[in-house]
Structure formats: structure tokens, C-alpha cells
Amino acid sequence: MTRRSWIGWQFTGPFLAVFTLVFLAPIAYAAYLSVFRTRLVGGTTFVGLENYTKALEDPQFWEALGRVSLFLVVQVPIMLGLALLVALAIDSGRLHGAGFFRIAIFLPYAVPAVVAAVMWGFLYGTRFGLVGNFNEAFGVTLPDPLAPDLILASIGNIVTWEFIGYNMLILYSGLRVVDTALYEAAAIDGAGQFRIIRAIKLPALRGPLVVATVFSIIGSFQLFNEPQILDTLAPNSITTYFTPNLYAYQLSFAGQQINYSATIALIMGVATTVVAYLFQRRTMRGIS
């Protein structure tokens, strides 16, 4: 190999080394763990695909997967819809203080997820938080946001509050690259704002919307921080298998079932990759 051929490897080598160390190696080790089982009596033995069979027959895993799937189907469209409205409002040029609103809406994304979950958890409290203070001040009884039947919606509110600004920035960036001459030509032809949005802005946002949705799909399947933090405030609402990631965490650190935990994590990794890929392939078809 010539000296010139080594130049590319010198640039990509550090990345490939870090990528292998922090991404490929953990996946390979998890795959290795998933084909073994550790027992108190008998030690560690090779079991092949038994852990995967067990996971696919585990009702707790399927309940957790169904919960995050419902979260994905409901929360993601609401979050992206609100982010789209905000991006369109800021890009319209008719919003006074657009710079301030852009920063204010993006600011929650800078708040760590743990801090956001703790903050909202105390706001939700019926005995010590904003909901409880509202009930006491007005003599009413609002529904408990931390109740089992509302906890998923409450978590969805936290995640939406955290990531509207992030998705708004993706969509707003997509709007800023649109040639302003298209807007001027449409205005000369008599097109109103809603016509411009429908005919120019929304088609231009197809790519950014796909990117934001793919990120949101991955984030939904990885849901962990919010339920894990709220578990201390609502132990009767957050089960040990509330989400697949929380289930894998509890299996590993509380149940000492490291092999089975690795299996759950790998299945979720594959499922997330497949869903995100199929969505991207279907929606990006026809985009140049």
C-alpha cells in the first residue's frame, strides 16, 4: 500500500477505533452474553437461542413493547405537529420577537432529562406539587397525573416539552434553505400564506420531517430516564417492566439476570433498527 493510500486511513482511523470500542464491541459482548445463562447451581452454561425464545414468550416484555409502541404512535405525531407549527410561525416573519421565541422553545432541550423528570414529577404531585396546590386553592379534585392510567400521558408531556425545540430547530433549518424567490413568485401569482405553506413549505420539509421522525422513533423505543425517575414518585404506576429498556435495566442490576437482560437489549436494538429503516425507506422514496 502506497503512502498516499494511508492518508485516508489516518483520517478515518481514530473514528473507526472509537466506533469499534464504544459501539461494535459492546454489541458483540451483549451477543456473547445472550447465548449463555448463569445459574446459582451449575454456573454459566451455553444455551444457544433459549434466551431469545424466552424473551419472545415473555408477557412482560410484550407489555413493555406495546406500551412504548403506543407512546410512539400517539406522542410523536403530537410533538412533531407542534414543532412544525412553531417552525412555520417563526419562519413566517410575522411573529414579533421571533428570536426570543426560538431560544425559549429550544431551551428545554438544554435541560437534562433527569432534571426535567424530577421537575415535572414534583409539578404533578397531588400532595406537594402544583396539582395539589391547585386542588387546595380552588377546592377541586383534579385527576392525578401520576395515576397508573395517566402516567404514560404524563411522561409523553415531559418528553414533548423536552424535544419540541430540538425538532423545531431541524424543521426551521429546513425552511431556511428554501429559495425565497419561490415565495415571491407565489405571492405575485396571488397565493396566500396557507397556499404557500401547502405548496412550497411542506414539500420542502419532507426530508427534515423524516429525519425528525426517525430520531423520535429511536427515542421512543429507548424510553428510560423519565419512567425511571418517576418510579420514586409513583411506585404503584411504574412497574419494573414499564418499558423494554427499564425491564432490561431491572433484570441486570436488580434481578442479576445479565444474560437475559442482554437478550432483551439486543432484541430491542434490532426492532428499533428495523422500524426506523422501514419508515425511512418508505417515506424517503421519491425524494431526490
Side-chain angles (χ1 to χ4, degrees), residues 1-271:
M1 185 176 291
T2 65
R3 177 181 176 84
R4 186 175 182 179
S5 301
W6 281 103
I7 295 178
W9 286 105
Q10 291 174 3
F11 281 102
T12 59
F15 164 77
L16 291 175
V18 174
F19 181 76
T20 302
L21 181 64
V22 304
F23 186 77
L24 296 181
I27 292 177
Y29 184 58
Y32 168 79
L33 289 176
S34 68
V35 296
F36 289 88
R37 183 174 299 167
T38 302
R39 298 181 177 90
L40 293 177
V41 178
T44 301
T45 57
F46 178 79
V47 295
L49 299 179
E50 286 186 18
N51 286 326
Y52 293 92
T53 303
K54 178 182 176 182
L56 296 178
E57 296 175 351
D58 187 348
Q60 293 183 340
F61 169 69
W62 285 109
E63 182 177 338
L65 181 59
R67 189 176 288 111
V68 293
S69 299
L70 175 62
F71 183 86
L72 166 65
V73 171
V74 176
Q75 186 269 337
V76 170
I78 293 175
M79 177 180 63
L80 293 183
L82 292 174
L84 176 61
L85 289 176
V86 172
L88 290 172
I90 294 175
D91 184 68
S92 68
R94 300 185 178 186
L95 184 65
H96 296 289
F100 167 78
F101 283 106
R102 185 168 62 245
I103 295 175
I105 293 171
F106 181 76
L107 192 60
Y109 179 68
V111 178
V114 173
V115 176
V118 171
M119 180 185 71
W120 277 98
F122 280 100
L123 288 175
Y124 287 149
T126 57
R127 293 177 298 172
F128 46 76
L130 181 63
V131 174
N133 293 336
F134 192 91
N135 290 342
E136 183 179 352
F138 295 96
V140 297
T141 303
L142 296 177
D144 183 5
L146 298 178
D149 55 340
L150 292 178
I151 189 66
L152 190 62
S154 299
I155 293 174
N157 177 63
I158 298 174
V159 175
T160 301
W161 179 81
E162 288 180 292
F163 288 98
I164 276 184
Y166 173 79
N167 291 288
M168 175 273 296
L169 196 62
I170 294 176
L171 301 179
Y172 180 69
S173 300
L175 289 171
R176 298 305 296 170
V177 300
V178 178
D179 189 355
T180 56
L182 295 175
Y183 301 148
E184 296 172 359
I188 293 174
D189 290 340
Q193 282 297 317
F194 289 104
R195 177 66 176 174
I196 292 175
I197 291 173
R198 186 171 66 253
I200 300 176
K201 292 187 177 183
L202 290 182
L205 285 177
R206 185 178 174 185
L209 275 172
V210 171
V211 172
T213 304
V214 169
F215 288 163
S216 299
I217 290 173
I218 296 172
S220 296
F221 282 124
Q222 291 180 339
L223 186 64
F224 175 79
N225 285 325
E226 290 78 12
Q228 202 270 340
I229 296 300
L230 291 179
D231 182 36
T232 58
L233 301 175
N236 296 326
S237 300
I238 305 293
T239 61
T240 58
Y241 51 91
F242 190 80
T243 69
N245 272 7
L246 187 60
Y247 188 32
Y249 173 83
Q250 294 291 344
L251 286 170
S252 179
F253 292 96
Q256 298 299 315
Q257 300 183 53
I258 299 176
N259 306 102
Y260 189 45
S261 173
T263 304
I264 296 293
L266 279 176
I267 291 176
M268 284 306 304
V270 172

